[in-house]
Amino acid sequence: HSERLMHLEVALQGEIGDLLWLPMEPELDLDKEVRDHLGIATAVANEDAEQARLLAEQHVQSNFRRLTELHHALIVTGDGADD
């Protein structure tokens, strides 16, 4: 299950990855990104599918939360494309 999950996350990152690195608020926490990825990789290496799934889900949710906040900020300031 972990390998399938990792492939899905990689595909998703391919679609939205550039947005995650935008130098805008809320600022990307690089230390947290490293901790998240290390935790996922460690769980996969330990063949702990449940932990890998949980950590990957939390990581993706955190990324989407940041993108949602960024999108909202762009709309509120009038800089968004949805105007």
Side-chain angles (χ1 to χ4, degrees), residues 31-50:
D31 290 335
K32 181 184 178 314
E33 292 294 309
V34 170
R35 285 191 310 272
D36 286 358
H37 285 250
L38 180 60
I40 295 166
T42 299
V44 170
N46 290 336
E47 299 181 6
D48 187 344
E50 183 62 26

Side-chain angles (χ1 to χ4, degrees), residues 5-78:
L5 182 61
M6 189 62 70
H7 287 292
L8 290 172
E9 182 178 356
V10 168
L12 181 60
Q13 292 286 348
E15 292 182 28
I16 65 166
D18 290 342
L19 297 174
L20 295 172
W21 294 96
L22 287 173
M24 300 179 75
E25 296 296 330
E27 188 173 322
L28 183 63
D29 182 347
L30 294 179
D31 290 335
K32 181 184 178 314
E33 292 294 309
V34 170
R35 285 191 310 272
D36 286 358
H37 285 250
L38 180 60
I40 295 166
T42 299
V44 170
N46 290 336
E47 299 181 6
D48 187 344
E50 183 62 26
Q51 181 69 4
R53 181 193 61 77
L54 176 66
L55 293 173
E57 284 180 1
Q58 290 172 347
H59 180 67
V60 169
Q61 288 172 355
S62 175
N63 283 339
F64 275 116
R65 194 173 313 114
R66 180 174 176 269
L67 289 176
T68 301
E69 291 171 11
L70 175 60
H71 184 252
H72 182 265
L74 290 173
I75 289 172
V76 168
T77 62

